[in-house]
Amino acid sequence: MRITPKTPEVRVPRLVGLMAMDARETAEARGVLLAAPDRPDFHRTVVDYVVRQFPQPGAEVPRGAVVTVWFDLGDAEGGAGVCEPRPPGPPSGGLRRELDLPGGPFVVLR
Protein backbone atom coordinates (compact mmCIF):
# COMPACT_ATOMS: atom_id res chain seq x y z
CA MET A 1 0.00 0.00 0.00
CA ARG A 2 1.32 3.44 -0.92
CA ILE A 3 0.99 6.22 1.63
CA THR A 4 0.48 9.67 0.12
CA PRO A 5 1.64 12.83 1.85
CA LYS A 6 -1.07 14.70 3.74
CA THR A 7 -1.78 17.34 1.10
CA PRO A 8 -5.22 18.95 0.82
CA GLU A 9 -5.66 17.79 -2.80
CA VAL A 10 -4.83 14.50 -4.52
CA ARG A 11 -4.91 13.28 -8.11
CA VAL A 12 -7.53 10.72 -9.10
CA PRO A 13 -5.87 7.42 -10.08
CA ARG A 14 -6.75 5.51 -13.25
CA LEU A 15 -9.14 2.78 -12.12
CA VAL A 16 -10.56 1.66 -15.48
CA GLY A 17 -9.43 -1.90 -16.25
CA LEU A 18 -8.75 -2.81 -12.62
CA MET A 19 -10.62 -5.49 -10.71
CA ALA A 20 -12.85 -4.20 -7.91
CA MET A 21 -10.47 -5.35 -5.19
CA ASP A 22 -7.48 -3.63 -6.85
CA ALA A 23 -9.51 -0.47 -7.50
CA ARG A 24 -10.39 -0.23 -3.79
CA GLU A 25 -6.75 -0.67 -2.75
CA THR A 26 -5.51 1.87 -5.31
CA ALA A 27 -8.12 4.44 -4.28
CA GLU A 28 -7.29 4.01 -0.60
CA ALA A 29 -3.56 4.39 -1.29
CA ARG A 30 -4.21 7.63 -3.22
CA GLY A 31 -6.50 9.14 -0.58
CA VAL A 32 -9.90 8.92 -2.32
CA LEU A 33 -13.05 6.92 -1.59
CA LEU A 34 -14.99 4.77 -4.08
CA ALA A 35 -18.71 4.50 -4.77
CA ALA A 36 -20.38 2.11 -7.21
CA PRO A 37 -24.05 2.94 -7.90
CA ASP A 38 -24.53 -0.24 -9.97
CA ARG A 39 -23.17 -2.52 -7.20
CA PRO A 40 -24.89 -2.21 -3.81
CA ASP A 41 -22.58 -4.96 -2.50
CA PHE A 42 -19.46 -3.13 -3.72
CA HIS A 43 -17.49 -3.85 -0.53
CA ARG A 44 -17.75 -7.60 -1.32
CA THR A 45 -17.22 -7.36 -5.10
CA VAL A 46 -13.86 -8.89 -6.07
CA VAL A 47 -13.36 -9.84 -9.72
CA ASP A 48 -15.60 -7.45 -11.66
CA TYR A 49 -13.69 -4.95 -13.82
CA VAL A 50 -14.10 -1.17 -13.71
CA VAL A 51 -15.23 0.09 -17.12
CA ARG A 52 -15.88 3.78 -16.34
CA GLN A 53 -15.02 6.28 -13.65
CA PHE A 54 -15.81 9.87 -12.66
CA PRO A 55 -13.90 12.13 -12.19
CA GLN A 56 -11.40 11.25 -14.87
CA PRO A 57 -7.86 10.06 -14.01
CA GLY A 58 -5.48 12.89 -13.20
CA ALA A 59 -8.14 15.30 -11.94
CA GLU A 60 -7.26 17.08 -8.71
CA VAL A 61 -9.84 16.53 -5.96
CA PRO A 62 -9.87 17.15 -2.21
CA ARG A 63 -8.44 14.34 -0.09
CA GLY A 64 -11.27 11.95 0.83
CA ALA A 65 -13.40 12.86 -2.23
CA VAL A 66 -15.62 10.17 -3.72
CA VAL A 67 -14.76 8.67 -7.11
CA THR A 68 -17.69 6.90 -8.77
CA VAL A 69 -16.91 3.70 -10.70
CA TRP A 70 -19.07 1.46 -12.89
CA PHE A 71 -18.50 -2.20 -13.70
CA ASP A 72 -18.95 -4.41 -16.79
CA LEU A 73 -22.47 -5.77 -17.03
CA GLY A 74 -21.30 -9.18 -18.24
CA ASP A 75 -22.67 -11.46 -20.96
CA ALA A 76 -26.02 -12.20 -19.32
CA GLU A 77 -26.88 -8.54 -18.86
CA GLY A 78 -26.32 -7.27 -22.40
CA GLY A 79 -22.73 -6.07 -22.15
CA ALA A 80 -21.72 -7.53 -25.54
CA GLY A 81 -23.04 -4.68 -27.67
CA VAL A 82 -24.83 -4.81 -31.00
CA CYS A 83 -23.52 -7.20 -33.67
CA GLU A 84 -26.29 -6.90 -36.26
CA PRO A 85 -26.82 -6.46 -39.17
CA ARG A 86 -24.28 -8.88 -40.49
CA PRO A 87 -22.97 -8.47 -44.03
CA PRO A 88 -24.06 -11.16 -46.50
CA GLY A 89 -21.79 -14.18 -46.78
CA PRO A 90 -19.81 -15.09 -49.91
CA PRO A 91 -21.71 -16.72 -52.77
CA SER A 92 -21.87 -20.50 -52.77
CA GLY A 93 -19.26 -22.36 -54.75
CA GLY A 94 -16.14 -20.94 -53.16
CA LEU A 95 -12.86 -21.93 -54.79
CA ARG A 96 -14.46 -24.58 -56.98
CA ARG A 97 -15.73 -21.80 -59.21
CA GLU A 98 -12.14 -20.64 -59.80
CA LEU A 99 -10.53 -24.03 -60.50
CA ASP A 100 -10.60 -25.86 -63.80
CA LEU A 101 -12.58 -29.07 -63.86
CA PRO A 102 -10.56 -32.32 -63.98
CA GLY A 103 -9.56 -33.28 -67.52
CA GLY A 104 -9.11 -29.68 -68.56
CA PRO A 105 -7.07 -28.40 -71.56
CA PHE A 106 -3.66 -29.28 -70.08
CA VAL A 107 -2.20 -32.77 -70.31
CA VAL A 108 0.05 -34.14 -67.56
CA LEU A 109 3.21 -35.80 -68.94
CA ARG A 110 4.72 -38.72 -67.04
Side-chain angles (χ1 to χ4, degrees):
M1 178 189 313
R2 185 174 146 200
I3 306 295
T4 59
K6 298 295 181 192
T7 58
E9 291 196 349
V10 295
R11 291 200 182 267
V12 175
R14 178 174 174 78
L15 303 171
V16 174
L18 296 179
M19 289 191 303
M21 178 177 65
D22 297 332
R24 283 193 300 271
E25 290 175 2
T26 302
E28 181 183 335
R30 295 289 183 95
V32 294
L33 303 173
L34 288 186
D38 62 339
R39 292 287 195 266
D41 59 343
F42 174 63
H43 63 283
R44 291 183 292 166
T45 305
V46 178
V47 295
D48 290 343
Y49 287 90
V50 176
V51 295
R52 192 167 47 130
Q53 76 179 69
F54 182 82
Q56 295 299 319
E60 286 191 14
V61 296
R63 180 175 294 283
V66 175
V67 176
T68 306
V69 293
W70 290 269
F71 293 93
D72 190 0
L73 297 175
D75 295 336
E77 296 178 83
V82 177
C83 297
E84 299 295 335
R86 294 182 184 193
S92 62
L95 291 176
R96 282 182 282 165
R97 293 176 34 185
E98 299 296 326
L99 298 176
D100 291 331
L101 295 174
F106 300 103
V107 178
V108 177
L109 299 174
R110 296 181 193 195

